Amino acid sequence: MEVTLNHLKRPEESAVDVSRRLQKRTRWGELFIQTFLFLCGAVSIFTTLGIVYELGKEALLFFQMPGVTLVEFFTQTEWQPTVGRFGVLPLVSATVVTTVIAMLVAVPFGLGSAIYLSEYASEKARKILKPALEVLAGIPTVVYGYFALTTVTPFLRIFFGEALNIYNMLSAGLTMGIMIIPLVASISEDALHAVPNSLREGAYAMGATRLETALQVVVPAALSGIIAGFILGFSRAIGETMIVAIAAGSGPNFTFNPLQSAETMTGYIARISGGDVAYDTPDYNSIFAIGLLLFGISLILNIISRRVSSRLREVYE
């Protein structure tokens, strides 16, 4: 560093003058990279704003239609826009039921896989098992949908018999949970792996077992990253389309019984977007209102995720 300053310094020139002269020099390569990165960020922001604008504009057409009110939209339990029934609760309840079932599967199995990979598996086993687990995330969701319909539902009928409909929320939710396990496991494992070894060594020095160290030291230290993974998995489950469109059913049904068929918000959007509905009809315009509602739910979950992560984050030197 001393050699560099001496090389740059002119006679009677102080270090402050050298620093100011270097700051004034235009570095074209760095300027190009900064401009490129700014454009990347600007494109992402303007794309999001464009999506919100289009959703809001089309949703406004729906709410300006005769008979459509915000109160009925959020409180009524019948959704049949063709005959003037505009209560979105049947679609919301089906979305909630399938999402909760999916998280009941994804959270314990995903966190368990992450703890094993981070605290118990050897480095060689980790290099093999983690990519193998992440292969599940690369399977197309339409394959998961038919897996739910042709494999999971017949298996569940062994236990529930005829009480379980062919199209039902239980098999769709279970299959979504299997699909989300790699997401939860990967993010949680990264958070656990980032915990300093000094915390583990301190726990072992106090006589703690490996399980006690994992559950009482490492998991609490990585809690912000783990919860962020849970919330991202929750957002992924709410936005999933193909599995619920194939396996959950295609008719709005206000019920919390997972053995029955029901249509989720994404399933309804997929069905109406198939091309069989005319433009500027209540059914067509309603998909933008539901899309805007989905966007709002995802936005709220992301905000909660950031708040929780920042509040529980711990910094280690």
Side-chain angles (χ1 to χ4, degrees):
M1 190 62 186
E2 184 64 25
V3 173
T4 304
L5 286 176
N6 289 336
H7 176 71
L8 295 173
K9 191 182 297 182
R10 295 173 180 172
E12 303 90 30
E13 194 173 25
S14 66
V16 176
D17 296 331
V18 172
S19 177
R20 288 175 178 173
R21 185 161 56 84
L22 289 175
Q23 289 177 357
K24 290 179 180 178
R25 181 183 298 174
T26 302
R27 300 178 180 180
W28 294 106
E30 187 173 340
L31 182 62
F32 172 77
I33 292 174
Q34 287 180 354
T35 305
F36 176 74
L37 294 177
F38 173 78
L39 289 176
C40 290
V43 167
S44 302
I45 293 172
F46 282 110
T47 301
T48 304
L49 292 177
I51 292 172
V52 173
Y53 172 75
E54 285 298 324
L55 280 177
K57 185 181 69 174
E58 298 294 336
L60 187 61
L61 294 177
F62 172 72
F63 287 111
Q64 287 177 340
M65 301 185 77
V68 181
T69 63
L70 281 175
V71 174
E72 181 182 5
F73 184 73
F74 286 109
T75 59
Q76 297 301 309
T77 58
E78 288 188 62
W79 179 258
Q80 291 182 337
T82 307
V83 297
R85 306 292 185 184
F86 300 110
V88 76
L89 286 182
L91 304 180
V92 174
S93 65
T95 303
V96 170
V97 170
T98 53
T99 300
V100 169
I101 294 172
M103 295 310 295
L104 289 176
V105 174
V107 167
F109 284 97
L111 182 57
S113 302
I115 292 175
Y116 172 75
L117 290 173
S118 174
E119 305 303 314
Y120 289 91
S122 64
E123 191 63 26
K124 183 178 179 180
R126 184 174 177 270
K127 289 181 179 178
I128 297 173
L129 293 176
K130 189 173 182 183
L133 182 65
E134 291 174 346
V135 167
L136 288 174
I139 298 175
T141 55
V142 66
V143 176
Y144 279 112
Y146 284 107
F147 172 73
L149 186 62
T150 61
T151 303
V152 178
T153 297
F155 177 75
L156 293 176
R157 279 200 145 192
I158 297 174
F159 304 97
F160 296 103
E162 297 297 325
L164 183 73
N165 291 345
I166 295 296
Y167 298 97
N168 61 87
M169 294 184 284
L170 181 59
S171 61
L174 291 175
T175 308
M176 276 203 304
I178 296 172
M179 181 194 68
I180 297 170
I181 286 175
L183 175 66
V184 175
S186 180
I187 296 176
S188 300
E189 198 274 338
D190 289 339
L192 293 171
H193 203 67
V195 174
N197 281 329
S198 58
L199 294 182
R200 298 179 177 85
E201 293 166 355
Y204 293 144
M206 297 295 291
T209 64
R210 179 174 287 191
L211 181 62
E212 291 171 339
T213 302
L215 297 182
Q216 299 179 18
V217 176
V218 180
V219 171
L223 197 58
S224 62
I226 293 173
I227 290 178
F230 292 168
I231 296 178
L232 286 176
F234 199 84
S235 299
R236 180 74 177 85
I238 286 180
E240 171 52 33
T241 302
M242 291 309 299
I243 295 176
V244 292
I246 293 173
S250 58
N253 183 14
F254 184 65
T255 178
F256 291 96
N257 184 355
L259 305 184
Q260 295 186 11
S261 65
E263 189 171 42
T264 65
M265 291 190 285
T266 53
Y268 174 78
I269 293 174
R271 178 167 63 85
I272 298 300
S273 302
D276 296 331
V277 177
Y279 177 76
D280 202 23
T281 58
D283 286 290
Y284 180 82
N285 291 335
S286 67
I287 63 176
F288 295 99
I290 295 172
L292 187 62
L293 179 60
L294 265 177
F295 180 86
I297 294 173
S298 300
L299 180 63
I300 292 172
L301 289 175
N302 286 332
I303 292 174
I304 293 174
S305 173
R306 291 184 63 86
R307 290 284 181 91
V308 171
S309 298
S310 61
R311 176 165 296 187
L312 298 179
R313 181 174 299 159
E314 297 185 18
V315 179
Y316 302 99
E317 295 181 355

